[in-house]
């Protein structure tokens, strides 16, 4: 039996399993990431068949159909990602940028703002944990089946 090959396959299986679980977590974080609740959402049909396009006059402010919408940059959702590090994976706001600076304030709150958690809530959700485990098992099994 080639133990070096077995070790390499096991490590690859663990990496793939962690990656698969991290994808589930980041998808859920993006889904529940907070947005500015004081401003209305952009219409659902934006950039679709009606042919209307939003106009951004300055960062974070969008004019659509004569109405102004703020807090719609998408920076927070875009900053959520996966950063693999050997046999571990960093999940959350891993991309540098403006959202990485305020994500911690949203998660923990400040003296002037209530917490609006999205990372911890995701990782503590039993349904998300079950799906992470299921996807990790599938990924690990795919790699191990090659041995």
């Amino acid at each position: 039996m080639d133990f070096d090959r077995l070790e390499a396959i096991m490590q690859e299986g663990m990496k793939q399993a962690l990656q698969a679980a991290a994808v589930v977590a980041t998808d859920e974080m993006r889904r529940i990431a907070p947005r500015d609740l004081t401003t209305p959402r952009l219409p659902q049909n934006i950039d679709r068949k009606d042919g209307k396009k939003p106009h951004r006059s300055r960062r974070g402010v969008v004019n659509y159909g004569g109405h102004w919408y703020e807090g719609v940059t998408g920076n927070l959702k875009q900053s959520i990602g996966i950063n693999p590090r050997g046999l571990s994976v960093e999940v959350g706001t891993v991309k540098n940028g403006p959202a990485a600076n305020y994500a911690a304030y949203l998660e923990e709150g400040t003296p002037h703002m209530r917490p609006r958690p999205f990372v911890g809530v995701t990782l503590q959700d039993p349904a998300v944990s079950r799906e992470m485990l299921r996807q990790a098992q599938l990924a690990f099994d795919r790699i191990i089946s090659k041995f």
Side-chain angles (χ1 to χ4, degrees), residues 35-36 39-43 46 54-56 58-64 68-76 78 102:
R35 61 177 295 281
D36 184 357
T39 57
R41 283 192 173 275
L42 280 169
I46 198 164
H55 169 70
R56 291 186 186 271
R58 57 188 189 273
R59 193 164 137 211
V61 181
V62 176
N63 183 321
Y64 180 76
W68 290 97
Y69 298 88
E70 294 187 60
V72 292
T73 62
N75 287 338
L76 180 62
Q78 291 171 16
Y102 65 80

Side-chain angles (χ1 to χ4, degrees), residues 40-41 59 88 90 128:
R41 283 192 173 275
R59 193 164 137 211
S88 67
E90 181 182 19
V128 174

